[in-house]
Amino acid sequence: MLNYYIFAENKNMRKILLILGITFFVGVQTTCAQVSPADSSIGAFIPNFAFSYQFPGGDMAQEFGSNATIGGGFLLKSKTNWLLSADFNYIFGGTVKNEAEILKMVLNKDGYIIDGNGTYALYSVYERGYSINLRVGKILNLLSANPNSGVMLMGGAGFLSHFVKIDNQHRTAPQVSGDYAKGYDHLRGGFTFNEFVGYFFMGNSRVLNFYAGFEFYQAFTRSQRDYTFDLMRKDTKKYTDLFYGIKIGWMIPVYKRSPRAYYYY
């Protein structure tokens, strides 16, 4: 009886895998139908890589200066120019405005950290973080070079996290190294909304495909640490962290080209 049950389950599993395989094959064939982006609207799977330069707003402006992000993700474009995307972005910046306040527990009267060797510790502080987003949007055929290009509108939601990174050279200052650094890093995270308005260009070449425009984030974050050293307690405040800036992306659309036309005389 047990053998029959296992056989039946395996048979059902093979059916499911067969159906999924056929569905995937049909989907790929549909996406890769032989078309030309220069003269017809196409569906495509589009890996992309992006860079942005952002300015802070809200509570972020009290702590950090401008930052940059690098990231990548995937776009699904329909024949009707609807877009669905998922992406990951790494945040990095070099300006921490409240550095002295954050490290006041370990700074001496001259504003230095004394390391384990009794000398001034060599350290730097940076802004670091990341965001993960899901977005939906539309390409409007305004100022369009072809049926697959035009004004790009996107909106979505995701998760954003950021913190203060303390880079102590050779980790000679145990006060700000290892687990102790977590007490100073002001790690925050939370739900975020994002919007993008710009231009989407898909050319007849697989190399010249890009989007560029303005991006906006509204993140609702709170501390991810149980204790913050400079506050001498748990940070229970709710923050509104805003970002706005310019974003540029390079795309590699995946679809099957139409065959070249040949003329005989």
Side-chain angles (χ1 to χ4, degrees):
M1 186 69 177
L2 179 60
N3 291 335
Y4 174 79
Y5 175 77
I6 295 174
F7 175 79
E9 285 297 307
N10 289 337
K11 187 177 180 180
N12 290 334
M13 183 61 69
R14 286 195 295 270
K15 287 182 179 180
I16 293 172
L17 292 176
L18 179 60
I19 293 171
L20 290 176
I22 293 173
T23 303
F24 176 78
F25 177 77
V26 171
V28 170
Q29 293 300 311
T30 301
T31 302
C32 298
Q34 293 187 352
V35 290
S36 171
D39 53 30
S40 60
S41 183
I42 66 172
F45 173 70
I46 310 175
N48 65 93
F49 305 92
F51 170 83
S52 64
Y53 191 83
Q54 300 175 326
F55 299 93
D59 292 315
M60 284 294 293
Q62 306 301 316
E63 302 180 45
F64 299 107
S66 59
N67 65 68
T69 75
I70 55 173
F74 304 96
L75 277 164
L76 287 176
K77 178 184 174 299
S78 74
K79 290 183 178 181
T80 54
N81 282 342
W82 282 97
L83 299 170
L84 182 65
S85 76
D87 60 76
F88 173 88
N89 302 281
Y90 176 70
I91 302 169
F92 57 99
T95 303
V96 178
K97 294 182 178 180
N98 54 350
E99 173 185 342
E101 179 66 20
I102 291 174
L103 297 176
K104 65 182 180 181
M105 301 288 290
V106 292
L107 296 176
N108 65 13
K109 64 180 181 179
D110 297 317
Y112 295 99
I113 296 176
I114 304 300
D115 67 13
N117 300 316
T119 60
Y120 292 157
L122 298 176
Y123 72 94
S124 299
V125 295
Y126 307 101
E127 175 190 3
R128 294 292 185 265
Y130 69 90
S131 68
I132 302 173
N133 307 286
L134 295 175
R135 314 175 199 245
V136 64
K138 184 82 162 86
I139 300 170
L140 306 178
N141 289 129
L142 302 174
L143 306 174
S144 56
N146 57 55
N148 298 285
S149 302
V151 173
M152 179 183 182
L153 301 177
M154 295 286 286
F159 180 84
L160 182 142
S161 177
H162 60 80
F163 65 98
V164 176
K165 177 178 175 58
I166 304 174
D167 183 14
N168 172 220
Q169 187 173 342
H170 306 305
R171 295 192 174 187
T172 57
Q175 313 95 299
V176 292
S177 300
D179 288 339
Y180 286 107
K182 296 178 181 179
Y184 301 100
D185 67 6
H186 284 216
L187 175 66
R188 297 209 301 260
F191 187 77
T192 179
F193 294 104
N194 56 77
E195 303 84 31
F196 176 90
V197 56
Y199 190 81
F200 182 101
F201 178 80
M202 180 184 289
N204 208 33
S205 164
R206 294 198 188 275
V207 177
L208 187 58
N209 302 277
F210 67 89
Y211 61 88
F214 299 94
E215 187 173 48
F216 310 90
Y217 277 87
Q218 306 87 45
F220 306 96
T221 65
R222 58 194 313 168
S223 176
Q224 305 296 299
R225 299 300 188 200
D226 292 329
Y227 193 85
T228 302
F229 287 162
D230 56 290
L231 297 179
M232 300 183 68
R233 59 176 172 81
K234 178 178 174 59
D235 184 1
T236 57
K237 181 180 176 180
K238 295 180 180 180
Y239 296 88
T240 301
D241 298 330
L242 307 178
F243 299 89
Y244 60 95
I246 299 172
K247 185 173 186 176
I248 301 172
W250 176 55
M251 305 181 297
I252 310 172
V254 179
Y255 59 90
K256 191 171 183 179
R257 289 183 176 280
S258 60
R260 297 191 179 206
Y262 291 93
Y263 300 93
Y264 298 93
Y265 299 93

